[in-house]
Amino acid sequence: MNTTQITTAQRIKAIVGGSVGNLVEWYDWYAYAAFAIYFSNSFFPDSDLNAQLMNTAGIFAVGFLMRPIGGWIFGSIADKIGRKKAMTLSVLLMSFGSLLIALTPTYKTIGILAPALLLIARLLQGLSVGGEYGVSATYLSEMASENRRGFYSSFQYVTLIGGQLIALGIQLILQKLLLTETQLEEWGWRIPFVIGALLSVIALYLRANLHETEAFENKKEVNDKKKGTVTELLKHPKALLTVIGLTLGGTLAFYTYTTYMQKFLVNTVHLTKEQSTLISFISLFIFACLQPVFGALSDKIGRRPLLLGFGILGTLFTVPLLTALSTTTSMWTAFFLIMAALIIVSGYTSINAVVKAELFPSEIRALGVGLPYALTVAIFGGTAEYVALWFKQAGTEQYFYWYITGCILFSLIVYAGMKDTKENSSLDKD
């Protein structure tokens, strides 16, 4: 199927199909983070709140350790047998992990087996979501027209944030309308994981009816030994190191202001759980809406200016923003501070998928996007919450703010030294 023959309607169908599956995957992933404040006591009952949150954050971080393996396995599948098949397999695995969490008995019922099963479920979900990023980033970038790649691929983060929004939205409904706090802590926290497993059926249907990308179809005749192998990937060391460098600061900032922020508002700012959930929901909704705006902007002015903007502003304002946030007593002041941080982070989140896809040839693109990204996210993004809580427990929470700043500065150096991928895109060679 030639690119010129793909209609706008077909592109939109492909973007929606790819994105909805992505949304379900990330909903399942974030439901864990959103409801940890309610189920941590069910799995780690004999400790204080901070210790319980550290234990659940530890399992959250361990789930990230599976992401590089997922990036490798699913990236190889996508490059060898197709983007569509890899995306279908990843959403199946995620739904199984979600169902396992929903059905796991508490510590009081089965003892140490409870956190052990929770860990297994998160490892499976880590494997799935590690594969999902690289494959969906590749799919969305390859299905987009040349002059709209930034806009189309930005929907990966729209759905990634959307998954978190649905998790928080369900939490707000349960908090405000359906259940008491006691009911949420006893059994209500299982509801979102059941919903996640059911949503996967919709995602599976949509993904089963997707078009394969032209870029993959064009390389069907390429020797299989060159497709999706680490050996072939290592022939592109500069692109590999670039993915690691441009991801490092962005992923740490993203996970700080999204998954960790809800706990930060409860644990440090001392807002109520309901207030922190509401702030998180509103700020994330606006954040999601900003992604296509920034993505479209990158199609006009290039990717590099946006990355440089994030790097410079993130380096200068992370410590002042988080310091002000930690000392505020106003719910709305907290909202505006978080919103300012998320606008800065949008310079990275909106375009990071397309930038990575533009670095690699199609026969190793899904692996090249997914594996180094997943490694970096596992080390820095996945541990953000745990490191933040560790610094807090040690009484030196402000050191965490400087840690984020240092990582963003490192990424800024990478942005300053790289070419604009919009003008030097491997996607143009497909």
Side-chain angles (χ1 to χ4, degrees), residues 136-214:
S136 62
T138 298
Y139 184 80
L140 292 172
S141 300
E142 289 178 349
M143 287 303 296
S145 53
E146 184 180 342
N147 62 341
R148 304 294 299 279
R149 284 177 188 146
F151 174 74
Y152 276 111
S153 64
S154 71
F155 281 90
Q156 182 175 39
Y157 262 78
V158 172
T159 52
L160 192 154
I161 300 159
Q164 193 169 358
L165 277 172
I166 293 173
L168 287 172
I170 288 170
Q171 189 173 44
L172 281 169
I173 291 167
L174 292 175
Q175 283 174 341
K176 302 283 188 186
L177 303 175
L178 300 178
L179 302 176
T180 64
E181 184 155 335
T182 303
Q183 287 172 324
L184 270 169
E185 288 175 354
E186 287 179 352
W187 56 269
W189 59 265
R190 297 181 187 275
I191 294 170
F193 297 105
V194 174
I195 292 170
L198 294 173
L199 284 174
S200 299
V201 177
I202 300 168
L204 279 170
Y205 171 77
L206 288 168
R207 288 195 161 174
N209 290 282
L210 289 178
H211 284 293
E212 187 53 86
T213 70
E214 181 206 353

Side-chain angles (χ1 to χ4, degrees), residues 172-388:
L172 281 169
I173 291 167
L174 292 175
Q175 283 174 341
K176 302 283 188 186
L177 303 175
L178 300 178
L179 302 176
T180 64
E181 184 155 335
T182 303
Q183 287 172 324
L184 270 169
E185 288 175 354
E186 287 179 352
W187 56 269
W189 59 265
R190 297 181 187 275
I191 294 170
F193 297 105
V194 174
I195 292 170
L198 294 173
L199 284 174
S200 299
V201 177
I202 300 168
L204 279 170
Y205 171 77
L206 288 168
R207 288 195 161 174
N209 290 282
L210 289 178
H211 284 293
E212 187 53 86
T213 70
E214 181 206 353
F216 176 78
E217 296 289 354
N218 286 347
K219 292 296 175 82
K220 273 194 169 177
E221 304 307 315
V222 172
N223 189 330
D224 272 355
K225 290 181 180 177
K226 289 190 173 183
K227 287 183 180 178
T229 64
V230 174
T231 304
E232 195 66 23
L233 183 61
L234 291 174
K235 294 178 183 177
H236 302 267
K238 186 178 180 183
L240 263 174
L241 293 172
T242 301
V243 170
I244 292 168
L246 72 88
T247 302
L248 195 153
T251 189
L252 179 56
F254 174 76
Y255 279 98
T256 297
Y257 293 119
T258 57
T259 55
Y260 174 59
M261 193 45 57
Q262 192 186 12
K263 298 174 189 65
F264 182 83
L265 291 174
V266 172
N267 219 13
T268 296
V269 186
H270 303 299
L271 298 178
T272 66
K273 289 176 183 176
E274 289 77 10
Q275 285 175 323
S276 68
T277 304
L278 183 61
I279 289 174
S280 295
F281 185 87
I282 297 170
S283 60
L284 286 171
F285 178 78
I286 298 170
F287 185 40
C289 294
L290 287 173
Q291 303 311 296
V293 177
F294 277 76
L297 181 63
S298 81
D299 288 326
K300 299 288 185 187
I301 66 171
R303 323 292 185 216
R304 195 164 168 267
L306 269 68
L307 292 172
L308 287 170
F310 160 67
I312 293 166
L313 294 173
T315 301
L316 292 176
F317 292 107
T318 296
V319 173
L321 281 170
L322 285 173
T323 302
L325 187 60
S326 68
T327 56
T328 188
T329 54
S330 164
M331 175 180 168
W332 291 109
T333 301
F335 164 74
F336 285 115
L337 289 168
I338 292 168
M339 208 58 250
L342 289 174
I343 290 169
I344 293 170
V345 176
S346 291
Y348 162 80
T349 53
S350 59
I351 58 166
N352 80 93
V354 71
V355 169
K356 291 159 192 168
E358 287 174 328
L359 289 168
F360 296 97
S362 65
E363 60 267 24
I364 53 153
R365 184 169 293 137
L367 182 63
V369 173
L371 181 55
Y373 168 83
L375 277 167
T376 313
V377 172
I379 296 166
F380 295 96
T383 59
E385 195 172 295
Y386 191 85
V387 171

